[in-house]
Amino acid sequence: MRLKLKVTFLCSFLISTSALAGLAKVQVNGFDVEYELAGKGKHTILLEAGGSAGLSDWEPVFESLTKHGKVIRYSRIGNGGSTQIKKNYSSEEYAAEAVLLLKTLKIEEPVVYVAHSYGAYIARVFAATYPNQIKALMLIEPASEHDVDIMRAIDLLRAEKEIAAIKLDDMKNGMSNQYLDFWAKRPLPDYPQIADIPVTVIASVKKYKKPSVLFFTDKAREMWGDLHSKWANAFPQGEIVITNKSYHYPQNDEPEMVVAQVVKLLEHTK
């Protein structure tokens, strides 16, 4: 039994060490930012994690993606293994720091920006603000300024109560750096503020057996899918991918599908 435990521990240690072997840190705005850069090829893929998340969010797909291009994943300041600070960040500030990261890593070519959840806020701002530094965009389960509109359209009184409760819960658990930016009611860039580039959106409409809030009800899932379908289809080179096989983390639940969609996006990118 003891030998089995030792072998299990050793295997876990080796796997963990291997997974972390490529991690490094650079200085951005005077703070440490952890990142990993691997792979090679025609395209450079920048992976942007969701709210409060670090680069580990991309673990299920990172290695596979490195077979198709140069891939960068990183943890925003305040997240993951980067410098831990509390600051009321805006997506504009995060996008500017992404530019600084790329500059520090000597990435001069435009990137294919792949973003999850809140990371979509940052990617949309990046695409509109720095058009010469992006050549394709993929948003996976993107958070949107319209998320609360979906709840309010279904049941206004219940929605207001649930939204207030979610805000209080966020505050109770310690506001993440993007807290104010996430709850701000303001329009984010769309087409044509974002140029005519290849755009793919992956959105889940998988139904919840016991939805905890209005946002996870069947009606909301349907509205969520419609919202992102219209958004993606507004782009001349836009494509929507609707899945009912995963919830908010398709890169965890359907990694093969996500990788396949990234590869497809790369094939349509100059």
Side-chain angles (χ1 to χ4, degrees), residues 147-166 183 213-215:
D147 289 356
V148 294
D149 293 340
I150 290 176
M151 298 175 67
R152 288 173 174 143
I154 296 173
D155 187 330
L156 181 59
L157 291 177
R158 178 181 167 186
E160 293 297 347
K161 291 180 180 179
E162 290 183 352
I163 291 167
I166 293 169
W183 287 105
V213 292
L214 279 170
F215 192 68

Side-chain angles (χ1 to χ4, degrees), residues 6 30 73 100 103 108 156 170 172 180 217 231 234 266:
K6 286 183 177 179
R73 60 173 175 167
L100 290 177
K103 183 177 180 180
E108 298 179 354
L156 181 59
D170 281 356
K172 179 181 178 182
L180 294 179
T217 60
W231 190 89
L266 296 179

Side-chain angles (χ1 to χ4, degrees), residues 2-125:
R2 184 176 298 177
L3 178 60
K4 184 177 179 180
L5 288 173
K6 286 183 177 179
V7 171
T8 302
F9 174 80
L10 179 60
C11 289
S12 299
F13 174 78
L14 291 174
I15 292 172
S16 176
T17 302
S18 175
L20 297 174
L23 296 187
K25 290 186 178 180
V26 292
Q27 287 270 305
V28 174
N29 271 347
F31 298 106
D32 287 334
V33 172
E34 71 165 352
Y35 75 96
E36 183 173 9
L37 192 162
K40 60 182 180 180
K42 176 182 177 182
H43 301 289
T44 298
I45 303 167
L46 176 63
L47 301 177
E48 188 76 55
S52 301
L55 53 76
S56 62
D57 258 20
W58 297 106
E59 192 65 39
V61 299
F62 181 77
E63 185 176 351
S64 295
L65 290 177
T66 61
K67 299 174 184 177
H68 303 282
K70 184 189 300 180
V71 187
I72 303 166
R73 60 173 175 167
Y74 79 107
S75 300
R76 293 186 297 275
I77 296 170
N79 298 337
S82 296
T83 300
Q84 295 299 301
I85 64 168
K86 285 294 181 183
K87 178 183 182 297
N88 290 328
Y89 266 101
S90 67
S91 47
E92 287 81 6
E93 289 175 296
Y94 277 134
E97 289 185 348
V99 170
L100 290 177
L101 173 67
L102 293 172
K103 183 177 180 180
T104 302
L105 297 179
K106 302 187 185 309
I107 304 297
E108 298 179 354
E109 68 275 13
V111 299
V112 174
Y113 211 138
V114 179
H116 174 244
S117 192
Y118 172 75
Y121 270 69
I122 301 163
R124 287 168 67 185
V125 170

